[in-house]
Amino acid sequence: MSKTKCPRCGTLTIRPGATKCPSCRAWVSSPKLAGSRVQFGALGLVLLAAGLGGFGMLAGGAAVLASQGRLGGKRPPATTPPPALPTSSAALPPAASASALSSASASTAPTADTPPPAAEAPAAFAVATTIRLDAPPIDLTVADDEAMFFVLCEDGTLRAHALDSGAEKARARLPGKGTGLRRLPAGRLAVLGVSTGLPVVNTASWLSGAAPAAYLKKVDVKGALDVAASGDPPVVVVATSQGSRVVRLAGPELTADGEILFPTPIRGVAPLPSSAGARLLVLLDGRAPTEPGSVIVLDPAAKPFGGARAAWSSLLEPRASTVPPAASSERALLFDRATAKVMGFSVGAEPRLAPAGPQPIAAFPWPGDRAVVIGAAGEATLVSLERREVLATVALGGVPSSAVLSPEGRTILVALGGGPRGKGATTVALGGEPLRIVSTLQTGEGSHVVSVAPRGRLALVAAASARVVTVLRRP
């Protein structure tokens, strides 16, 4: 075999076809891959095919995971939509279990939430005046025309004050100590929590100087814990703790014309606007602390009352916050105090369950298909309902007692009184993009109840320990 001389070291050691000198290890010619032929044996072909097939399987699996939202993040199990309200059914359908709902397939994909762009903070509230009372306030509300506000006091009286001056204009003695106020259509007020019946006050007659028999009516519903009015003409529905009953009141005289009995405690009622007609949600606890509660959907105007209803079950302790009509839609926002979840709920659509932050006490819809949840630990949690995740948290600077959403749906007022017997003396306003505290106001020791006027520019905060009502205004 002939050998050639290495061009670098000069030794005669390079065999024909070689590309590197065995003596100095220098390259005789550059290695080339393009154009070269690669030969495989039978085993090599098998291994090559298996490798390509495995790579394809991996790529295909990755594509499937990405399409299902499982690549790069967890996707919560889908839930089945709540049943549509039947046209006629006297029996209550059995509630679905939480495990069955979590494993069922979703019928429709939720619409992606699109948070609005960053914007200037809404106009901040400022303290306008402070009105002193001679008894601790329990609850309060603003009249529809915003000329007056009404205060329920611990001494069993209902009082009317002028908003501009704060002067007391009228005082009524109630047939018992109430626990809360609810506004009803036609300028009426319902007083919750009276064990002997439901007092209803006609404010126009009261302020005109009429006798108590003309403006005060006691409806035969004892221990009312919540009242809701919906529809046109409005239908008033009362939930009572005595016997777990829901009673419908009809006509201008609010005469009881139907009732439903439930086997578990009622925690509240909430109106649910719908293009198919107004609906009412009845929120029930479970039979035992570990069993899920129920959300009952019914038509409040149906005859007989409760003849058409449906049940949906997933939350242990379903609750709902009061939302102004201007800020609501055809989806109710519920929250679960036991499991710290928040849920967007509507008839015939997929409920969307998301984390709510610890110890929720209130939850409100927020622009961009989001929700803001107020927690008893002193945080506001911004949640994406579509992505089922927490977006941000805001420290409130105190322990919240109550919260309310403004009519335009972009400001939340939170009284930081520290609960029913707390001594907190501030109220904060949440708003803006990103969500933040836009104002902090001194509203009196024991600030525990907030109420916003219908137009959204006035708000009231009741402070029990200080015995004051603070009027807040914004431009």
Side-chain angles (χ1 to χ4, degrees):
M1 181 181 296
S2 62
K3 297 182 180 180
T4 59
K5 183 184 292 186
C6 174
R8 182 173 179 179
C9 64
T11 58
L12 193 67
T13 58
I14 301 178
R15 297 180 180 179
T19 57
K20 182 182 288 187
C21 174
S23 297
C24 67
R25 311 302 297 173
W27 289 103
V28 178
S29 61
S30 299
K32 296 180 180 179
L33 294 178
S36 62
R37 295 182 179 179
V38 182
Q39 297 181 352
F40 297 93
L43 180 59
L45 289 172
V46 172
L47 292 176
L48 176 63
L52 292 174
F55 177 80
M57 291 174 64
L58 288 174
V64 170
L65 290 175
S67 67
Q68 295 179 350
R70 299 177 185 174
L71 193 61
K74 295 181 178 180
R75 181 180 179 91
T79 55
T80 56
L85 192 63
T87 55
S88 61
S89 173
L92 179 66
S97 67
S99 59
L101 288 169
S102 62
S103 61
S105 302
S107 59
T108 58
T111 304
D113 57 338
T114 54
E120 294 182 1
F125 281 93
V127 175
T129 185
T130 299
I131 301 164
R132 299 199 173 274
L133 307 174
D134 59 10
I138 295 175
D139 200 0
L140 77 174
T141 188
V142 183
D144 292 335
D145 61 3
E146 300 188 0
M148 308 287 292
F149 69 90
F150 308 101
V151 188
L152 177 66
C153 291
E154 201 172 85
D155 61 356
T157 61
L158 180 67
R159 308 174 186 197
H161 288 256
L163 252 177
D164 54 358
S165 65
E168 183 178 312
K169 296 298 184 180
R171 182 182 296 200
R173 174 67 60 178
L174 299 171
K177 291 186 178 181
T179 59
L181 289 176
R182 293 290 186 273
R183 286 212 319 254
L184 298 179
R188 292 175 294 184
L189 291 174
V191 182
L192 305 180
V194 178
S195 59
T196 58
L198 175 68
V200 177
V201 176
N202 185 315
T203 59
S205 300
W206 177 34
L207 295 174
S208 68
Y215 68 75
L216 179 60
K217 177 182 178 61
K218 190 169 72 172
V219 181
D220 189 20
V221 178
K222 300 176 181 179
L225 58 87
D226 206 357
V227 177
S230 60
D232 187 18
V235 176
V236 178
V237 176
V238 184
T240 173
S241 58
Q242 295 189 6
S244 294
R245 296 185 302 150
V246 173
V247 182
R248 182 173 66 188
L249 307 177
E253 296 300 319
L254 299 178
T255 304
D257 75 340
E259 69 174 42
I260 311 172
L261 300 179
F262 292 100
T264 59
I266 303 172
R267 291 304 173 185
V269 292
L272 176 62
S274 171
S275 57
R279 297 290 184 263
L280 184 76
L281 303 181
V282 182
L283 310 177
L284 305 176
D285 281 351
R287 295 178 181 272
T290 57
E291 292 184 2
S294 300
V295 179
I296 308 299
V297 186
L298 57 87
D299 181 352
K303 294 183 179 181
F305 179 52
R309 50 182 158 153
W312 189 84
S313 177
S314 178
L315 307 180
L316 289 178
E317 297 180 8
R319 302 288 187 270
S321 300
T322 302
V323 177
S328 64
S329 64
E330 292 191 10
R331 182 179 293 272
L333 191 67
L334 308 180
F335 63 95
D336 189 350
R337 299 179 63 180
T339 61
K341 300 290 184 182
V342 64
M343 183 181 69
F345 184 95
S346 61
V347 176
E350 175 196 352
R352 289 175 288 175
L353 200 63
Q359 305 174 50
I361 65 167
F364 304 102
W366 203 244
D369 200 22
R370 297 170 294 168
V372 175
V373 185
I374 307 300
E379 286 185 341
T381 303
L382 181 64
V383 175
S384 167
L385 293 173
E386 189 276 327
R387 302 206 308 254
R388 279 93 159 173
E389 65 182 15
V390 171
L391 301 176
T393 57
V394 177
L396 298 174
V399 179
S401 296
S402 67
V404 66
L405 178 68
S406 61
E408 84 283 356
R410 290 183 176 270
T411 302
I412 299 172
L413 285 168
V414 187
L416 301 177
R421 301 186 182 277
K423 301 295 183 180
T426 59
T427 297
V428 297
L430 291 166
E433 294 289 345
L435 181 69
R436 60 196 181 276
I437 293 176
V438 297
S439 57
T440 300
L441 308 157
Q442 295 297 318
T443 51
E445 190 176 75
S447 298
H448 71 289
V449 176
V450 189
S451 179
V452 177
R455 298 185 185 95
R457 294 194 173 188
L458 287 171
L460 304 176
V461 182
S465 299
R467 298 189 178 188
V468 299
V469 172
T470 302
V471 180
L472 309 177
R473 292 182 185 270
R474 65 178 176 181

